Amino acid sequence: SMTAELLWAGYTGLHFGGYYSLQAVIDSLPVGNGLDSKRSVSRDSLCGGVAGGVATVFTYPLDLIRTRLAAQPEPRVYSSMRNAMVSVYSAEGFRGL
């Protein structure tokens, strides 16, 4: 479905974009302990964790809408992705997303 495609494209773009951006920031910092920061497992873990968390926060509303569209009963409650977003926001506010 279109919602799932948007979810995964957005998540992947944010995750990898954030990961490489954070690596660049960390690599630009002075490393005073003599370790090669470009091969640090802790650096990679930190960047991956932060990037994954940010990507999840920003794409979670799409995952919620995708789930609601897939699990809706007959007759359909939502006619489209946009209708689902507007309906959830109207009924539950920002926290509903």
Side-chain angles (χ1 to χ4, degrees):
S1 73
M2 180 58 104
T3 310
E5 296 300 322
L6 289 172
L7 166 68
W8 292 114
Y11 179 85
T12 302
L14 285 169
H15 192 190
F16 283 104
Y19 176 77
Y20 290 117
S21 296
L22 287 169
Q23 281 186 330
V25 168
I26 290 173
D27 288 344
S28 71
L29 299 174
V31 179
N33 59 9
L35 295 174
D36 182 6
S37 68
K38 293 183 192 266
R39 295 185 183 200
S40 171
V41 173
S42 59
R43 178 204 67 164
D44 291 345
S45 298
L46 175 68
C47 292
V50 170
V54 169
T56 298
V57 166
F58 282 100
T59 58
Y60 185 78
L62 287 173
D63 191 34
L64 175 94
I65 296 302
R66 179 187 64 84
T67 301
R68 290 207 179 183
L69 285 168
Q72 66 183 324
E74 291 292 335
R76 292 180 164 256
V77 177
Y78 309 113
S79 60
S80 66
M81 181 175 68
R82 184 180 186 287
N83 175 255
M85 288 180 148
V86 170
S87 296
V88 170
Y89 183 77
S90 295
E92 302 174 36
F94 181 74
R95 292 182 68 141
L97 292 175

